[in-house]
Amino acid sequence: MYKVLIYFYLILLLFINIFFWRFLYTKKKVLSIETKTLYRDDIKTGDVLLVDWQRFKNVLLSSFLRSSFMHPCIAVWENNDLFIVEIINYFNDEEYKGLIKVPFNKWHRINKRGLILHNKLDIIGKKEDQDKTREILKDNILNFYNKYKKDIKEPVGLSYKWKRFLNPEPKYRKLTKFDDRVCTEITAMILIECGVVKANKSVESYNPDSFLGMKEFDTNKPYEYNESYLAKIDEA
């Protein structure tokens, strides 16, 4: 009996060490990313924010998936106020569960203990054209939110259905059922349906690190993601 327990603890320690070193290896590239102060007013509609909360279960998932971050979301301005659109479950509160639009100051207070990365969306062209395009993008994001907010529920946890990430469909297919969908898929769908990125991959082709610098996304003109950095947010 004692030998069985010893073997069990040895195997457990082995797995813990494997996950720990995988976690350190995964996070190593984050340490090389530039850190900048990000002011609220510098965030634009269409910017993508990445969050990693550094909780125990996220450490395990980060190690298993080899992802530096866990959660992408999208910024949108409405009536001179900044919001974050995301699929999440905060506090098991119905107001903050599923596809939500949360005021940025509230969002930052919830997530300020995590690592936050800012992907800046640039719009190429004349200033007046940029403003018009950004306004259209705002309407598209809000239309998506209003259309699907009742259908997209809180994200599910790790399950056998995640096998789709191991063998994703090659082509984009607009989602009609959302029962087991996660934040990476919904965020990718928003970007595709709103015309920011090309519909040349299925949404399950993207993992959290696909949003790290947005390098795995092909943008449509006049959109470009050219700058990303770790954000030290100043709400002033």
Side-chain angles (χ1 to χ4, degrees):
M1 183 64 180
Y2 290 113
K3 287 184 178 180
V4 173
L5 288 174
I6 290 171
Y7 285 134
F8 172 77
Y9 284 120
L10 287 174
I11 293 171
L12 181 62
L13 286 172
L14 176 63
F15 274 103
I16 290 173
N17 271 282
I18 290 172
F19 274 99
F20 176 73
W21 288 108
R22 278 174 63 92
F23 174 75
L24 290 182
Y25 177 80
T26 300
K27 293 298 180 183
K28 187 172 76 170
K29 59 185 173 183
V30 176
L31 300 178
S32 64
I33 300 175
E34 182 182 9
T35 300
K36 291 184 179 181
T37 299
L38 176 63
Y39 296 97
R40 176 179 177 273
D41 289 345
D42 290 334
I43 301 172
K44 305 297 182 186
T45 291
D47 288 1
V48 173
L49 297 171
L50 265 176
V51 184
D52 192 271
W53 297 288
Q54 305 294 296
R55 298 168 186 156
F56 179 72
K57 65 179 180 179
N58 298 109
V59 170
L60 292 178
L61 283 173
S62 293
S63 303
F64 180 73
L65 299 174
R66 298 185 68 175
S67 294
S68 306
F69 289 84
M70 293 304 300
H71 180 69
C73 48
I74 299 178
V76 61
W77 283 88
E78 182 183 24
N79 298 327
N80 296 318
D81 202 358
L82 179 61
F83 296 89
I84 299 297
V85 174
E86 60 185 335
I87 172 176
I88 195 70
N89 179 3
Y90 291 132
F91 323 118
N92 277 320
D93 185 331
E94 291 300 323
E95 184 179 357
Y96 297 105
K97 184 188 296 187
L99 183 64
I100 64 171
K101 184 183 73 176
V102 58
F104 176 76
N105 290 347
K106 173 77 171 179
W107 179 89
H108 181 231
R109 285 195 294 273
I110 294 171
N111 293 292
K112 64 182 180 180
R113 293 184 182 277
L115 286 175
I116 298 174
L117 183 131
H118 177 225
N119 292 299
K120 180 183 176 185
L121 178 64
D122 292 322
I123 298 176
I124 309 304
K126 297 180 181 179
K127 179 65 168 61
E128 56 269 26
D129 294 334
Q130 293 178 20
D131 294 341
K132 183 178 179 181
T133 301
R134 192 85 67 175
E135 188 70 16
I136 293 171
L137 177 58
K138 177 206 76 173
D139 291 338
N140 288 341
I141 294 173
L142 292 175
N143 287 339
F144 183 99
Y145 166 74
N146 290 319
K147 181 178 180 179
Y148 291 108
K149 62 182 179 181
K150 292 183 179 178
D151 298 323
I152 300 177
K153 307 302 182 183
E154 64 178 295
V156 297
L158 182 65
S159 74
Y160 76 94
K161 293 182 178 180
W162 281 29
K163 66 182 185 293
R164 66 182 179 274
F165 297 113
L166 300 175
N167 187 29
E169 293 185 18
K171 295 182 179 180
Y172 175 71
R173 175 176 54 85
K174 185 176 179 179
L175 301 179
T176 56
K177 296 181 179 179
F178 305 97
D179 293 345
D180 61 338
R181 297 297 173 171
V182 298
C183 57
T184 52
E185 295 171 292
I186 299 303
T187 304
M189 183 179 172
I190 294 174
L191 293 172
I192 292 169
E193 292 297 317
C194 293
V196 176
V197 303
K198 295 178 181 178
N200 57 0
K201 289 183 182 180
S202 62
V203 293
E204 62 266 24
S205 298
Y206 301 103
N207 61 53
D209 273 14
S210 300
F211 296 83
L212 185 59
M214 306 299 287
K215 300 301 183 184
E216 294 186 24
F217 290 87
D218 294 326
T219 54
N220 291 307
K221 293 182 179 180
Y223 300 109
E224 290 184 0
Y225 286 101
N226 290 321
E227 185 180 8
S228 65
Y229 52 87
L230 291 175
K232 182 180 178 182
I233 295 177
D234 188 330
E235 294 186 31

